[in-house]
Amino acid sequence: MTNRPWWHDATGYALYLRSFADGTGDGVGDLPGVIDHLDHLEYLGIDLLWISPFYRSPMVDGGYDVTDHTEIDPTYGTMADFKALIRQAHARRIAVVIDLVANHTSAEHSWFQAARTSREDRFHDRYIWADPAPDGGPPNNWVSYFGGSAWTFEAAIGQYYLHLFLPEQPDLNWRNPAVRQMFDDIIEFWLDLGVDGFRIDVAQGLVKDRLLRSNPVLHVLRPAADRIEQWRAFEHRHDVLQPETIDIFRRWKAICHRYDAVLIGEVSVGDANAFAFAMDSGGLDIGMWLEVMHSEWDADALRSVLSGPIERKGDAGMVGWLGSSLDEPRAVTRFGGGEVGRRRALALATLLAFLPGTPFLYQGEELGLEQGEVCDDNRVDPVGIDAASGRDGCRTPMPWTNGPMHGFTTANETWLPFAADAGTMSVQSQRRNHRSQLARYRCLLAARRAQLVDADPTVEWLDFEEVGLIGFRRGVLNVIVNTTNEVVEIGIHGQIVFDSFGLLDRRVGLPSSPGVVRARIEGSQAIVFRGV
Ligand code: BGC
């Protein structure tokens, strides 16, 4: 027995509630739907479930615009459903982590409704307001993650308010003690109901520069620059990662640890040094590093994006690894789509599963789902000027069965259409096939669980003569991925414990003949072996 916290070896699952399963027959995923399918998570080998927001919301940003942080939105169920979910997940030894949307509220939140009426209102200072610049324009050059200025003018009181996302998501003022107190209360409310932790949304963004100084400009913007280019045109010195943010993490972590709960933060920064700063001084138990989702399928690019956060952050917290998410195109599609995309996505998942830290599968990843095509008439995401840059494609509903509406709902329509591959990729058909993507993910997670107990946390990257291989060693464990399309022959010593193609062990006769073996690693294949 060790004294490590329970989340130390956990495998996470990122569940996008609207698209997981509909238990009430209205075409939208909900809490009863999650309860109905907990067996899937148990079968897969998940121990930590992170659920996207289910709070009262006008749903302008899919629920990341909250009007009441302690109420369940009727679209998603009731408090009784939530309690049942906690009970039933715990009965299956699955921890439940909920989203803490703390950077902003909905503009319809009662606080903001009051705050916008007058500069003297007692809620005014719970948001970030500033007078116009001398030319009447926004107070500084900050841009929204969703594109355009981060400021909207409130004519009634002659001031601008800040929103790092939509104008319907005004940013809270984390320098105001009343805001801190309110979130302490929200956290305790859910911990008392039995949740096992929080995933802080936009953790890097909470506190802003006291003087609201403009950010240094890195590039001059093209007029047609999309939201990502706009964001990257600035050095985000003043709008994100202010040192006071770490104090908030520490404060929340102290509360969480009283309940043996985990504090996870979404740390959406492109740079490993900035990530290390957010992890500094033990602020977060787990920091989600999102840059893997921006890497090409290339051994050097992957090595740099995987090694950066581990090397820089030292001993502070753990890295949360995501190969796909609710906000980014799915890995299968990013890596070329079809069978090749699926093999590459699984190989990436293998690297993430064996690196020190916590891997999070994004719902549907275990099925090898591709990005869905959502035509203009069906688009829901407020972000992106076209279907390609919006986030609907990674949020299409889960296909559970081969029956009507893929077992997702009893309604005739779903809130977003199914992806084109839903028919062939359902859970039902994959569970019947021991060579399916689902079977391989299950096997991967079982291997992680079996092999990583007490594994050496130190990662030693392997240097290969062969081009296109990426790999690392942790104690006796070795993980190697061939990113090329060609077979590569390498000498390995040891016993295979996971093979993403599930054939290698038979072909080379391992583990019965440990010793130097010339093993073929095919294009996009991942192998994990214990060295001798
Ligand atoms: C969430 C997004 C959301 C944004 C604003 C993100 O990090 O993952 O889906 O739109 O925060 O709350």
Side-chain angles (χ1 to χ4, degrees):
M1 286 295 283
T2 68
N3 291 327
R4 289 199 308 231
W6 62 264
W7 56 85
H8 203 99
D9 297 317
T11 300
Y13 189 88
L15 187 147
Y16 191 66
L17 189 54
R18 287 184 88 73
S19 299
F20 188 69
D22 171 19
T24 58
D26 62 355
V28 180
D30 48 33
L31 298 171
V34 180
I35 296 172
D36 290 345
H37 291 283
L38 284 172
D39 64 323
H40 173 68
L41 304 179
E42 191 179 16
Y43 167 84
L44 189 54
I46 297 300
D47 350 70
L48 187 165
L49 180 60
W50 151 41
I51 309 183
S52 64
F54 42 73
Y55 316 105
R56 282 240 181 220
S57 164
M59 308 286 168
V60 180
D61 182 20
Y64 280 96
D65 46 324
V66 178
T67 47
D68 189 330
H69 292 80
T70 54
E71 287 274 343
I72 311 270
D73 195 279
T75 317
Y76 296 133
T78 62
M79 197 51 94
D81 295 330
F82 184 76
K83 289 179 183 166
L85 169 61
I86 295 277
R87 237 185 1 260
Q88 297 196 31
H90 287 175
R92 294 175 190 265
R93 298 179 167 274
I94 297 173
V96 179
V97 166
I98 63 175
D99 224 298
L100 189 66
V101 188
N103 178 67
H104 44 263
T105 66
S106 160
E108 290 182 26
H109 194 286
S110 60
W111 284 9
F112 190 69
Q113 290 297 312
R116 75 194 320 179
T117 57
S118 132
R119 296 180 186 214
E120 275 71 51
D121 188 275
R122 74 186 180 92
F123 289 98
H124 188 72
D125 185 53
R126 294 190 185 186
Y127 294 86
I128 300 178
W129 299 90
D131 291 337
D135 67 356
N140 66 24
N141 68 0
W142 296 359
V143 289
S144 154
Y145 275 99
F146 288 169
S149 170
W151 296 94
T152 290
F153 190 59
E154 186 71 20
I157 54 175
Q159 280 189 311
Y160 281 85
Y161 68 88
L162 179 72
H163 49 87
L164 286 188
F165 293 86
L166 297 173
E168 292 86 347
Q169 296 168 296
D171 278 35
L172 285 162
N173 176 10
W174 275 95
R175 297 182 184 276
N176 182 327
V179 171
R180 295 180 182 225
Q181 186 55 51
M182 144 126 151
F183 272 84
D184 286 358
D185 296 345
I186 291 169
I187 288 176
E188 296 211 24
F189 172 86
W190 292 106
L191 288 169
D192 284 335
L193 285 172
V195 305
D196 303 289
F198 298 89
R199 172 265 191 188
I200 312 166
D201 185 50
V202 197
Q204 75 284 352
L206 303 179
V207 183
K208 278 77 178 182
D209 179 43
R210 195 182 289 279
L211 302 175
L212 301 177
R213 282 169 287 189
S214 278
N215 282 321
V217 178
L218 297 175
H219 324 285
V220 178
L221 271 180
R222 297 184 300 126
D226 67 16
R227 66 186 179 101
I228 313 282
E229 286 174 79
Q230 290 179 31
W231 184 262
R232 291 190 180 154
F234 297 92
E235 180 200 326
H236 292 276
R237 191 184 295 175
H238 300 303
D239 52 351
V240 303
L241 275 189
Q242 303 304 294
E244 297 89 338
T245 304
I246 315 289
D247 300 338
I248 298 173
F249 298 160
R250 288 207 201 98
R251 175 181 177 125
W252 288 345
K253 186 160 144 177
I255 303 175
C256 284
H257 285 199
R258 286 208 323 264
Y259 291 78
D260 197 21
V262 62
L263 189 66
I264 304 173
E266 174 200 29
V267 187
S268 180
V269 292
D271 172 71
N273 291 319
F275 180 81
F277 177 78
M279 300 300 289
D280 197 21
S281 316
L284 297 171
D285 293 311
I286 299 175
M288 286 180 167
W289 167 245
L290 310 182
E291 281 308 291
V292 179
M293 294 184 283
H294 301 148
S295 172
E296 290 167 41
W297 183 250
D298 169 85
D300 293 339
L302 285 169
R303 175 160 163 179
S304 136
V305 88
L306 297 175
S307 58
I310 308 174
E311 282 159 14
R312 312 284 160 71
K313 79 164 183 48
D315 291 334
M318 303 198 326
V319 183
W321 301 106
L322 286 87
S324 287
S325 84
L326 72 161
D327 294 322
E328 302 282 351
R330 287 186 176 276
V332 172
T333 306
R334 292 199 316 269
F335 295 151
E339 203 41 41
V340 169
R342 270 192 282 281
R343 289 176 173 186
R344 291 175 173 176
L346 177 58
L348 173 65
T350 308
L351 292 166
L352 303 184
F354 282 92
L355 282 168
T358 315
F360 286 84
L361 300 190
Y362 172 57
Q363 126 186 349
E365 175 180 344
E366 73 278 25
L367 304 180
L369 287 193
E370 299 225 25
Q371 190 73 354
E373 295 264 339
V374 180
C375 68
D376 286 354
D377 287 350
N378 290 330
R379 280 184 51 214
V380 180
D381 188 21
V383 173
I385 43 171
D386 52 33
S389 56
R391 299 169 297 176
D392 291 327
C394 62
R395 297 175 175 181
T396 55
M398 278 282 278
W400 291 100
T401 68
N402 302 335
M405 301 310 272
H406 304 295
F408 172 81
T409 182
T410 53
N412 297 326
E413 236 183 337
T414 49
W415 75 283
L416 270 184
F418 288 97
D421 55 359
T424 46
M425 305 303 283
S426 77
V427 173
Q428 186 183 39
S429 38
Q430 296 205 40
R431 273 185 76 157
R432 291 187 190 133
N433 173 0
H434 71 283
R435 290 284 171 90
S436 67
Q437 190 84 343
L438 176 59
R440 294 178 198 278
Y441 267 86
R442 182 169 186 247
C443 181
L444 170 65
L445 300 192
R448 167 181 156 82
R449 185 176 304 212
Q451 300 300 326
L452 280 190
V453 178
D454 293 327
D456 193 322
T458 319
V459 175
E460 209 184 309
W461 293 92
L462 301 171
D463 290 314
F464 299 96
E465 278 169 21
E466 298 79 1
V467 176
L469 292 183
I470 171 171
F472 58 86
R473 183 176 300 138
R474 282 182 69 185
V476 293
L477 274 180
N478 298 264
V479 182
I480 304 178
V481 167
N482 175 3
T483 64
T484 72
N485 296 324
E486 315 296 328
V487 171
V488 175
E489 304 239 329
I490 55 161
I492 59 169
H493 267 282
Q495 176 188 356
I496 303 283
V497 297
F498 178 71
D499 163 15
S500 69
F501 286 13
L503 295 171
L504 191 84
D505 49 348
R506 267 182 260 156
R507 218 176 288 164
V508 298
L510 294 173
S512 52
S513 53
V516 179
V517 180
R518 293 298 289 180
R520 293 159 53 83
I521 306 187
E522 295 193 38
S524 310
Q525 187 173 22
I527 58 167
V528 183
F529 65 96
R530 291 182 78 86
V532 286

